[in-house]
Amino acid sequence: MYDIDSAYHVVAEPMPDVMAGKLPGVTLTNAEKTLVKSASQTVFNEITSLETSIEGGKSITATAVSALETDFASFETCCTGVKAGQQPSACADIATTATATTTNATTTTTTTIAGN
């Protein structure tokens, strides 16, 4: 969990400069900025939800961790594409699954994952 949190911050760190148009050759529309922000917020919310459960002594499910890993991989693809001047579908995929995945992560905290 904490490795994904650290990786998230590494991937997301340059995005404010990208959003502000400080990356040569990359210009995002307001709609694209909103989509990237939504994708980022989704992953951040999932991380926060699972960390809160762990810190509160609650168990988390393999399903919730797997969903986070999948969304993080998509977010990484999203950011890489945006920095290259593209908007990969990964940005939209994460943004549209925000509510379902976050709800899943916070309500299915019943099975302990060995070793985590």
Side-chain angles (χ1 to χ4, degrees):
M1 270 306 310
Y2 298 107
D3 290 343
I4 291 176
D5 182 35
S6 294
Y8 166 80
H9 289 290
V10 168
V11 170
E13 190 270 327
M15 293 313 291
D17 286 341
V18 173
M19 301 289 234
K22 295 180 182 177
L23 188 65
V26 177
T27 303
L28 300 176
T29 66
N30 286 338
E32 291 168 333
K33 289 177 185 179
T34 299
L35 191 60
V36 172
K37 287 177 188 177
S38 179
S40 177
Q41 190 66 51
T42 296
V43 173
F44 182 79
N45 289 348
E46 287 180 80
I47 291 168
T48 301
S49 175
L50 291 174
E51 285 180 344
T52 299
S53 292
I54 291 167
E55 290 166 1
K58 296 178 183 174
S59 298
I60 59 175
T61 66
T63 302
V65 173
S66 179
L68 171 60
E69 290 171 338
T70 298
D71 284 348
F72 175 76
S74 293
F75 177 66
E76 191 170 28
T77 300
C78 169
C79 290
T80 300
V82 167
K83 288 187 286 186
Q86 308 162 359
Q87 184 167 24
S89 63
C91 298
D93 292 346
I94 303 167
T96 59
T97 62
T99 303
T101 304
T102 303
T103 300
N104 182 31
T106 59
T107 59
T108 57
T109 55
T110 56
T111 306
T112 302
I113 302 170
N116 289 327

